[in-house]
Amino acid sequence: SSGINAEYGGPRPPHPPFPPHHGPMFGSWQPPPHHHDPNMAPSGEGQFGPPPMQGPPPSNNPRPLEKKITFRPDDVLVATFPRSGTTWTIEIIRQLHLLRAGENHFLASDAGKEGVFLDMMRRADTDDYFESMESPRIFKTHQYYDECKFLNETNNCKVIFVVRDPKDMVVSMFEHSKQMHPGRSDMSVQEFAKNLSGETEVHRYRGGPTNWSLFTEGYLNNDLNLEIFYLKYEDLKTDTLGKIAQINDFLGYPSLSPEEVVAVKNATSFDKMKKSHRNVTAKSTGTSGGYKENLSPENIAAFNTQILELVRRVNDHNLNLTVYAENN
């Protein structure tokens, strides 16, 4: 197709072939004989790639975008750990854009636009590409805060950081990976969870984050003093109307009427998004608390320890993250 970013200035430029270590989310994998990556574990040392390390992981994304982006005042960057409401949040923002433009909601020709995924952009020719996009532009990233080399202290874009209970997140991540790469692994969800819960010391998985606590801590600390709206996925589910209005206000848009808020909610319903967004599959549920039927007591305890230690270290900006450790 023409690419998911056509709404924002034309088709996405074609990417060169994926590097050898861009494979399925999980499963057995070995680099080809000619390929050597010092950040990846030698053969047989685990399915999650890099060797154990202490502290924040190094910047070893196989496709890094290290250039600074000249952001515009109406740009929006959505930052999330994978499977934490990224697509839903972006669709809400997009519908607010359409509303401001006086267009009908959820136009069939516009369905499925998921923002510009910065983590998959190469360094070459990005300046002209980004500049060619019409405003307002929506970007997204799953990078650790200190690895977002495209950010700097002079950013004038707005950032929305969405956090989800990591126990539900990891189950969703596992199921999504199975659907995207069927038959590639017999790993159980409990084994998969160990690599993200702190039960093992792997901090990185083929260019994406695997340590929920370190990832969340970076955005909560916000060392660059970015303008961030902190949003909890579960609050978006239970108070969708209220959170849509808050997102609208954060973006500096004119106040919405009650009817307009309802229209945006209806336009971004889970059932509608399943029909048009590749990241919302037929088996996606978006539920909260389902981890209890999937994770082991050890998995749950490890995640809860991460959560409580995180809250002791940083300001959670009134997200009340401790509730994640209480819902057992």
Side-chain angles (χ1 to χ4, degrees):
S1 70
S2 63
I4 61 173
N5 300 311
E7 179 184 2
Y8 304 108
R12 173 188 306 181
H15 288 308
F18 282 104
H21 54 302
H22 239 285
M25 262 324 247
F26 60 93
S28 58
W29 171 89
Q30 292 183 4
H34 68 275
H35 176 72
H36 172 68
D37 184 342
N39 294 313
M40 303 300 289
S43 174
E45 288 193 10
Q47 299 185 23
F48 269 69
M53 62 186 75
Q54 298 296 322
S59 181
N60 63 351
N61 187 321
R63 312 188 76 173
L65 177 62
E66 296 183 348
K67 282 187 175 182
K68 305 298 183 187
I69 296 176
T70 302
F71 285 105
R72 303 169 187 166
D74 57 358
D75 285 342
V76 186
L77 172 65
V78 177
T80 65
F81 204 96
R83 312 305 299 170
S84 297
T86 320
T87 303
W88 187 15
T89 304
I90 288 174
E91 184 59 24
I92 288 172
I93 297 168
R94 197 178 70 85
Q95 291 298 328
L96 291 171
H97 287 173
L98 292 176
L99 183 63
R100 292 175 64 213
E103 300 182 36
N104 293 326
H105 287 272
F106 216 79
L107 300 175
S109 61
D110 288 332
K113 307 301 187 298
E114 297 170 5
V116 180
F117 192 16
L118 294 176
D119 306 3
M120 298 299 290
M121 298 295 293
R122 285 197 180 274
R123 288 176 260 187
D125 301 322
T126 51
D127 290 343
D128 290 342
Y129 174 54
F130 290 146
E131 282 303 310
S132 72
M133 296 177 187
E134 296 180 2
S135 293
R137 303 178 300 185
I138 304 175
F139 300 99
K140 68 177 179 179
T141 184
H142 296 318
Q143 287 293 314
Y144 289 94
Y145 184 100
D146 61 357
E147 292 190 341
C148 293
K149 305 302 183 184
F150 47 83
L151 294 173
N152 56 63
E153 294 87 344
T154 61
N155 284 305
N156 56 2
C157 75
K158 296 179 184 294
V159 180
I160 297 180
F161 175 69
V162 190
V163 63
R164 184 183 187 184
D165 187 329
K167 301 184 290 293
D168 282 320
M169 172 276 299
V170 75
V171 174
S172 177
M173 201 171 177
F174 175 78
E175 293 298 332
H176 183 72
S177 300
K178 282 203 307 181
Q179 293 170 41
M180 295 298 102
H181 309 284
R184 297 214 184 165
S185 174
D186 57 1
M187 180 185 287
S188 69
V189 64
Q190 293 86 6
E191 293 174 304
F192 183 81
K194 286 181 180 180
N195 294 281
L196 287 93
S197 66
E199 294 171 82
T200 63
E201 294 189 12
V202 173
H203 287 293
R204 171 163 295 288
Y205 178 59
R206 295 173 199 156
T210 57
N211 189 302
W212 177 87
S213 179
L214 283 176
F215 182 90
T216 304
E217 183 173 359
Y219 287 92
L220 292 177
N221 281 335
N222 189 19
D223 290 340
L224 294 176
N225 294 315
L226 306 177
E227 188 176 2
I228 299 181
F229 178 74
Y230 293 98
L231 177 63
K232 192 158 62 177
Y233 175 84
E234 292 78 12
D235 292 343
L236 186 57
K237 285 180 62 68
T238 59
D239 182 23
T240 308
L241 295 176
K243 293 305 174 184
I244 289 173
Q246 289 180 21
I247 291 172
N248 182 78
D249 292 345
F250 172 72
L251 296 178
Y253 298 164
S255 297
L256 299 173
S257 69
E259 294 77 16
E260 288 173 328
V261 178
V262 171
V264 173
K265 178 183 178 182
N266 292 340
T268 58
S269 70
F270 205 66
D271 288 339
K272 282 193 174 182
M273 291 178 61
K274 276 187 177 182
K275 298 175 183 178
S276 60
H277 285 72
R278 62 181 182 179
N279 285 336
V280 186
T281 62
K283 293 185 179 181
S284 298
T285 63
T287 57
S288 298
Y291 68 84
K292 299 174 186 178
E293 302 172 2
N294 294 278
L295 300 184
S296 69
E298 292 77 17
N299 293 151
I300 294 173
F303 273 120
N304 289 345
T305 297
Q306 270 196 20
I307 294 163
L308 294 175
E309 290 180 350
L310 172 67
V311 173
R312 281 195 289 267
R313 292 196 304 269
V314 300
N315 172 11
D316 75 354
H317 297 274
N318 298 315
L319 289 173
N320 189 24
L321 296 181
T322 54
V323 71
Y324 288 160
E326 297 168 356
N327 296 332
N328 297 321

